[in-house]
Amino acid sequence: MRRLIVRVRLLDGRADGSGGAQSDSGGGGLSAGHQPLQHHASSSSAGSATAASKTKKTRKARTAFTDHQLNTLEQSFERQKYLSVQDRMELASKLNLSDTQVKTWYQNRRSVDNFISVKVVS
């Protein structure tokens, strides 16, 4: 588990690996001469990883749904687990949300629904 954490930090470029985050065996730390990894081996060119790290896309802040929006989304979900594009656009317009926000809410809600049904069966 610790190796994974160290690797994630190195891939992100925030840690140099010399801060004492070693594996449980004691010899897994990086020496001071090692540089953090910049990209996965699956990248097509080394230049694209450098350019991508300089222009990080800022994430949109998390949407805080109102009680009315949540109640309407839940009622709609109880009637219909999957929405057509037209239904999704109408619901988004009605709730003053974007199409993507409704789509994402439905995806997350189906995931929760699936998780709950798996827990009940187990």
Side-chain angles (χ1 to χ4, degrees):
M1 183 71 170
R2 259 194 181 162
R3 283 183 190 217
L4 177 64
I5 293 170
V6 170
R7 184 179 178 121
V8 169
R9 286 185 182 162
L10 291 175
L11 288 174
D12 195 20
R14 286 186 275 165
D16 64 357
S18 61
Q22 296 180 352
S23 67
D24 292 331
S25 62
L30 296 175
S31 66
H34 285 79
Q35 295 297 320
L37 297 175
Q38 294 300 318
H39 66 283
H40 291 288
S42 63
S43 293
S44 59
S45 68
S48 65
T50 306
S53 65
K54 289 181 183 176
T55 58
K56 282 193 174 182
K57 186 177 178 182
T58 57
R59 280 182 61 170
K60 186 176 181 284
R62 183 172 185 225
T63 302
F65 295 101
T66 65
D67 288 339
H68 170 69
Q69 289 170 333
L70 286 173
N71 289 335
T72 306
L73 286 165
E74 284 289 347
Q75 289 171 0
S76 175
F77 182 79
E78 289 302 317
R79 286 191 306 270
Q80 199 174 0
K81 303 279 190 233
Y82 291 87
L83 290 177
S84 67
V85 175
Q86 183 65 34
D87 290 341
R88 188 172 68 223
M89 290 174 66
E90 288 174 6
L91 186 59
S93 175
K94 178 181 170 186
L95 296 175
N96 201 20
L97 295 170
S98 72
D99 182 55
T100 306
Q101 287 172 314
V102 173
K103 182 174 84 170
T104 303
W105 186 89
Y106 259 77
Q107 288 172 340
N108 291 337
R109 185 61 179 82
R110 283 192 299 267
S111 178
V112 168
D113 199 44
N114 191 25
F115 179 77
I116 290 171
S117 66
V118 168
K119 278 279 206 185
V120 170
V121 171
S122 306

